Amino acid sequence: MTEKDFIPSKYQELKEQGQVSYTSPSNIALVKYWGKKENQIPANPSISFTLEACATTTSLKYKKRAGDNSDFSFDLLFQGEPKPSFKPKIEQFFKRVISYLPFLTQYHLIIETSNSFPHSSGIASSASGMSALALCLMELEKEFVPTMTSELFVQKASFLSRLGSGSACRSIEGDLVQWGKHKNIEGSTDLYGIKYPYEVHPIFKNYHDTILLVDKGEKQVSSTVGHDLMHGHPFAEQRFSQAHKNLENLKVIFKEGNLKEFIKIVESEALTLHAMMMTSQPYFILMKPNTLEIINKIWDFREKSKTNVCFTLDAGANVHVLYPEVEKAEVFQFIQDELVAYCQNQQYICDRIGFGAKKLSVK
Ligand code: DP6
């Protein structure tokens, strides 16, 4: 597939009005996307667990506008209230996708969106939010192209999500999604996420992710700015080739269920991501003292308990604690006894690996 394959041929007839709705989850990267080229093309391939509990639900009401319009017309409601501060990001998204969804200017849209996770929890909502919106727009396009295959639907939903926010393209499906061209992963592409195509050991099937909310404040540096700082970064090239190698090594690990090796890659990826931030110009630190306290506690407990608990981080201070289903009782007890104290207001979210977005029925 190339970009051109996502430009639709002429629509038959546009519907007057209607409503569609989707719920789409967040995801947590094991090999991180950090650095991008023009048009949301990733500098290196990445892979993530799709999550289940952290999700955005979006409903889209559409009504045909009179005349021939070239601007966008939409209202945005977040958790039931108008949210003007989100509008520029949506407007930018519409501009990026208009050539792939030419019907957009012909409608007035009312976008109502809400998150399952607490507002300003420091959890990035761009992956779930952008993928939920992209799916609603695809559902609308499907109304005009009833012959669209489900394969094209899913690929284009991921393609559009990527143009909204890179990591969002990994939220359409589950449970392991790979994005970005890798020479030894068949079907991999920079344009959209694909379901990881090789054998995965059952130990990875019900993986848990308990998200410890260490700092719920607004980040000082956005991901978009962080990606940008990889241009001219002194370690960029080594980092991008390391991501390729880590993905290669994960193939055998996923197949054999080797958790010791899995942990080495996942934790190294998390720390490398933050090392890139600390060595960019300007440099910055998103971890907080409690992030490090938690990491050290996890290492101590793993040593003592001989369990396979490990951590990963996204672009913030929160810690994602990962562990397999068979170790749930022991690790969760540890989290409650020893880690929750380091969370802001003792807050955490119990999430687990999930299977992607779902269409919701509308009344
Ligand atoms: C650290 O997808 O939020 O979570 O494409 O600029 O919207 P934009 O960036 P975004 O970056 C996420 C980076 C990350 C790692 C990852 O999810 O792979």
Side-chain angles (χ1 to χ4, degrees):
M1 295 289 272
T2 69
E3 269 114 340
K4 284 203 182 72
D5 297 315
F6 294 111
I7 298 176
S9 43
K10 238 178 163 336
Y11 299 129
Q12 299 278 310
E13 198 185 337
L14 296 187
K15 252 181 100 174
E16 249 340 281
Q17 57 183 334
Q19 185 178 351
V20 291
S21 183
Y22 261 89
T23 181
S24 189
S26 187
N27 65 72
I28 181 69
L30 304 170
V31 172
K32 309 288 181 183
Y33 148 57
W34 198 245
K36 60 177 159 180
K37 307 177 201 165
E38 284 274 288
N39 299 325
Q40 294 285 100
I41 296 298
N44 65 261
S46 59
I47 192 162
S48 53
F49 279 152
T50 304
L51 295 178
E52 170 78 28
C54 288
T56 298
T57 297
T58 296
S59 109
L60 182 75
K61 290 192 187 115
Y62 55 96
K63 192 166 190 220
K64 204 134 180 289
R65 297 162 80 190
D68 212 5
N69 305 290
S70 58
D71 61 334
F72 301 109
S73 170
F74 66 101
D75 297 321
L76 184 79
L77 299 169
F78 177 66
Q79 320 274 69
E81 303 282 333
K83 189 83 178 172
S85 63
F86 282 5
K87 285 191 90 174
K89 186 127 203 209
I90 307 281
E91 178 101 23
Q92 182 198 39
F93 171 62
F94 285 164
K95 283 187 188 146
R96 284 184 188 164
V97 300
I98 183 68
S99 51
Y100 306 104
L101 299 172
F103 64 82
L104 267 179
T105 47
Q106 305 311 311
Y107 284 95
H108 176 70
L109 305 173
I110 301 175
I111 305 164
E112 287 193 66
T113 182
S114 61
N115 290 338
S116 65
F117 40 92
H119 181 45
S120 74
S121 56
I123 302 236
S125 55
S126 65
S128 54
M130 283 298 174
S131 54
L133 179 58
L135 280 156
C136 287
L137 295 171
M138 280 310 295
E139 196 60 33
L140 183 48
E141 182 169 66
K142 208 175 87 185
E143 306 250 7
F144 319 141
V145 189
T147 53
M148 188 187 302
T149 62
S150 55
E151 192 189 8
L152 178 63
F153 181 95
V154 165
Q155 284 174 348
K156 186 164 172 181
S158 174
F159 173 86
L160 297 173
S161 303
R162 187 195 100 238
L163 294 172
S165 177
S167 57
C169 79
R170 300 188 310 239
S171 278
I172 307 296
E173 296 181 287
D175 43 355
L176 253 183
V177 176
Q178 200 270 330
W179 166 45
K181 182 81 191 139
H182 186 284
K183 69 177 180 354
N184 291 330
I185 299 180
E186 230 180 295
S188 63
T189 162
D190 288 343
L191 298 182
Y192 50 86
I194 58 164
K195 270 178 147 171
Y196 176 71
Y198 304 115
E199 194 181 337
V200 178
H201 190 278
I203 194 78
F204 293 110
K205 281 296 161 191
N206 292 310
Y207 236 75
H208 290 267
D209 178 4
T210 302
I211 308 164
L212 305 177
L213 305 180
V214 172
D215 186 62
K216 303 193 290 165
E218 187 89 359
K219 283 190 282 188
Q220 311 110 292
V221 182
S222 73
S223 289
T224 304
V225 170
H227 285 293
D228 218 37
L229 294 175
M230 288 304 283
H231 292 290
H233 190 292
F235 307 134
E237 287 317 312
Q238 289 98 313
R239 159 61 199 150
F240 301 147
S241 73
Q242 177 198 40
H244 282 267
K245 280 195 208 99
N246 281 343
L247 259 166
E248 181 72 47
N249 292 338
L250 273 175
K251 272 173 87 173
V252 187
I253 293 168
F254 281 139
K255 185 165 176 232
E256 293 176 352
N258 186 339
L259 293 185
K260 298 278 169 286
E261 293 302 312
F262 175 75
I263 290 171
K264 279 190 208 161
I265 290 182
V266 169
E267 293 190 343
S268 162
E269 277 286 326
L271 295 177
T272 302
L273 168 70
H274 285 258
M276 290 299 115
M277 301 174 190
M278 291 193 263
T279 49
S280 62
Q281 206 53 264
Y283 41 80
F284 58 105
I285 301 180
L286 295 184
M287 291 186 287
K288 296 283 178 195
N290 282 353
T291 311
L292 297 180
E293 293 285 356
I294 291 169
I295 291 173
N296 280 305
K297 288 268 176 194
I298 290 173
W299 285 342
D300 284 348
F301 176 77
R302 184 161 78 220
E303 179 67 30
K304 277 196 297 231
S305 64
K306 306 288 172 224
T307 57
N308 293 289
V309 60
C310 74
F311 73 86
T312 188
L313 306 167
D314 54 20
N318 297 332
V319 182
H320 289 249
V321 187
L322 303 177
Y323 47 100
E325 172 75 15
V326 283
E327 296 175 0
K328 183 183 168 188
E330 197 176 353
V331 174
F332 191 61
Q333 192 64 53
F334 154 68
I335 291 174
Q336 284 182 311
D337 294 347
E338 296 195 44
L339 301 186
V340 170
Y342 295 103
C343 299
Q344 206 173 351
N345 306 325
Q346 320 258 306
Q347 270 189 295
Y348 61 95
I349 299 172
C350 290
D351 211 334
R352 54 161 65 213
I353 199 164
F355 295 93
K358 294 182 199 89
K359 182 181 167 183
L360 304 175
S361 57
V362 283
K363 300 142 255 155

